[in-house]
Amino acid sequence: MNEGLVVCVRSIISFFSLLIFTRILGKEQLSQLTFFDYILGITIGSIAATLSTDLSSRSWPHWIGLLVWAALGFLLEYITLKWRYIAKYLEDEPTIVIMNGKIMEKTLKKMRFRVSDITELLRNKDIFDLNEVDFAIIEPNGRLSVLKKPEFQNLTPKDMNIQKKQTGISSELIYDGILIEENLKQLGKDKTWLLNELKKQGISNISDVFIATLDPSGSLYIDLYHDHMTKITDIGDYKGPY
Amino acid sequence: MRKFLVITIPIITLILFIFVMESDIFLKRSLGKNDSISESINAVINDIQMDDWDKAVQDTNHLSEVWKKIVRMVQFSSERDEINAFSINLARLRGSILAKDKAGAFTELYEAYEHWEDLGK
């Protein structure tokens, strides 16, 4: 028995099975990791690791374990998506811990949260004074959502009655020295327009451009391969091996 | 194209993985001539029953060769413990045959057969 080869084959099976199953489970794994999702991830990972290296048993039962855990995770996700009532039961719901600036002690006790935990979460949100907080909510994933009192909220262009230009997602017109005509067409521009814009900035050749993007407001960003930087800031402290 | 990448490739990959993990169902069966483990074990049992120790040595060597050939194929779908146990049975069987110990040889052969049956289950 060639153990190295067997581990190699089982690792390939484990790696790609895990990849396929987690893709089926969706992005929720990363963005809204609840405590249960966290444990689910650890368990599935642990089964995959055993499938890969525990040669004392066959790969099949471990793979079935992996499949069942992933299937149950998917089923739970599906149920919580379809039935709000069960979702509340299974995944919990947001809990208000500060209401109208007052800390809800009983709720904190019920959730086994200390006030120091709340102040820590607030500090993570750059809030160092409890006076600034109007509402604070613990989300099912353990994160704290905060609504500041109106006098402490950031000033927005709307508050100042300032009209701002519409922004949007930039499209790449040149990528790695190659013109992307499809995006150019989508924005209602042509190659001549782009060449003229490049000429205005002293660029004669498209292949000199590393990336060029255009946003819906008409702002063009151009970066060349050669940036002609004479002085580059070094943020390191000690000279390293590189 | 997107359907092919998102659905077909993962399904084919999973089917291939299941095939590799369950391949012992096909690979434990004899694929060519004289490469059946159970037949080879029976041949050694017959030799020992007939007290033909020279033939038993020859058939044990043949059994070892068949085992080496098959283990290369079933190693991906089987458990290491059963594979190791079968190999140990073969080593002990050689010793029993050398000592012309009928009881010992039978014990090893029947145990080896049991391990062969359990391999991949």
Side-chain angles (χ1 to χ4, degrees):
Chain A
M1 184 182 185
N2 189 340
E3 288 184 341
L5 184 68
V6 177
V7 168
C8 185
V9 170
R10 285 174 71 148
S11 297
I12 291 169
I13 291 173
S14 169
F15 181 89
F16 287 104
S17 299
L18 199 62
L19 180 73
I20 292 167
F21 293 157
T22 47
R23 289 285 286 119
I24 293 169
L25 280 174
K27 287 187 174 63
E28 205 214 20
Q29 284 280 316
L30 282 174
S31 60
Q32 294 165 293
L33 210 68
T34 63
F35 186 58
F36 181 72
D37 291 332
Y38 177 68
I39 292 169
L40 182 75
I42 291 174
T43 312
I44 289 179
S46 169
I47 297 170
T50 318
L51 160 63
S52 175
T53 53
D54 180 14
L55 303 187
S56 63
S57 51
R58 298 172 66 223
S59 49
W60 180 243
H62 297 293
W63 195 82
I64 289 291
L66 197 68
L67 179 77
V68 171
W69 270 85
L72 288 175
F74 180 77
L75 188 73
L76 213 69
E77 261 177 26
Y78 184 78
I79 289 171
T80 52
L81 207 70
K82 288 275 172 193
W83 294 283
R84 187 82 193 98
Y85 185 83
I86 298 175
K88 275 195 172 186
Y89 177 69
L90 293 172
E91 288 190 341
D92 205 357
E93 57 183 338
T95 312
I96 298 175
V97 286
I98 297 177
M99 189 188 264
N100 296 322
K102 303 268 183 268
I103 297 171
M104 315 289 284
E105 294 85 2
K106 277 184 188 167
T107 315
L108 281 183
K109 207 174 171 187
K110 219 156 91 183
M111 291 176 68
R112 287 176 295 282
F113 256 73
R114 288 169 298 185
V115 180
S116 59
D117 295 328
I118 299 295
T119 50
E120 185 188 329
L121 290 168
L122 284 171
R123 283 196 299 275
N124 284 335
K125 295 215 153 231
D126 296 328
I127 299 165
F128 290 83
D129 186 0
L130 278 164
N131 276 318
E132 291 181 24
V133 183
D134 201 1
F135 278 88
I137 298 163
I138 296 278
E139 304 292 351
N141 61 9
R143 287 189 193 141
L144 190 76
S145 302
V146 183
L147 179 71
K148 284 183 183 177
K149 285 177 183 165
E151 60 268 34
F152 294 105
Q153 279 176 13
N154 294 335
L155 209 59
T156 61
K158 198 185 167 195
D159 296 327
M160 302 288 286
N161 281 326
I162 298 171
Q163 284 288 322
K164 286 199 81 182
K165 267 188 190 172
Q166 187 78 29
T167 52
I169 301 164
S170 299
S171 301
E172 287 158 359
L173 302 182
I174 300 169
Y175 186 86
D176 208 7
I178 295 164
L179 179 75
I180 304 164
E181 288 190 39
E182 203 178 297
N183 288 353
L184 203 62
K185 239 185 235 170
Q186 259 178 22
L187 291 162
K189 308 280 182 192
D190 58 11
K191 198 177 169 182
T192 327
W193 170 85
L194 183 63
L195 286 170
N196 280 335
E197 288 295 318
L198 293 177
K199 239 178 220 171
K200 278 182 202 168
Q201 302 203 25
I203 305 157
S204 54
N205 212 334
I206 285 176
S207 58
D208 292 339
V209 180
F210 176 58
I211 191 160
T213 62
L214 183 72
D215 71 17
S217 68
S219 167
L220 188 69
Y221 171 83
I222 298 169
D223 187 77
L224 300 175
Y225 280 105
H226 301 290
D227 292 319
H228 306 292
M229 302 271 273
T230 48
K231 203 177 171 189
I232 295 167
T233 311
D234 184 5
I235 55 162
D237 42 8
Y238 292 101
K239 205 176 163 78
Y242 306 110
Chain B
M1 186 64 184
R2 195 186 129 77
K3 209 172 181 183
F4 175 74
L5 289 170
V6 176
I7 298 168
T8 318
I9 288 183
I11 288 174
I12 290 172
T13 310
L14 292 179
I15 290 170
L16 180 74
F17 289 166
I18 293 169
F19 177 76
V20 172
M21 287 185 287
E22 289 289 278
S23 58
D24 56 274
I25 295 169
F26 317 99
L27 298 173
K28 262 178 86 175
R29 288 184 207 153
S30 55
L31 297 172
K33 275 182 184 174
N34 298 325
D35 63 354
S36 163
I37 289 283
S38 43
E39 275 176 25
S40 301
I41 289 174
N42 282 335
V44 182
I45 289 171
N46 281 337
D47 296 337
I48 295 168
Q49 272 172 344
M50 309 277 279
D51 281 325
D52 191 347
W53 296 102
D54 291 334
K55 184 88 186 338
V57 170
Q58 273 179 30
D59 284 337
T60 305
N61 287 340
H62 177 67
L63 175 63
S64 290
E65 279 166 29
V66 173
W67 172 242
K68 273 181 196 165
K69 196 173 139 189
I70 282 185
V71 89
R72 256 182 257 138
M73 297 189 285
V74 297
Q75 61 182 342
F76 302 108
S77 51
S78 307
E79 52 279 69
R80 186 184 55 177
D81 292 357
E82 292 290 355
I83 291 173
N84 288 348
F86 192 99
S87 299
I88 291 166
N89 286 139
L90 277 182
R92 284 191 191 141
L93 176 66
R94 284 177 199 284
S96 297
I97 290 172
L98 195 70
K100 295 186 177 167
D101 172 11
K102 240 180 180 178
F106 282 137
T107 310
E108 298 305 335
L109 280 165
Y110 280 99
E111 195 185 312
Y113 188 78
E114 201 61 36
H115 286 307
W116 170 249
E117 285 285 300
D118 288 342
L119 196 76
K121 270 188 186 169

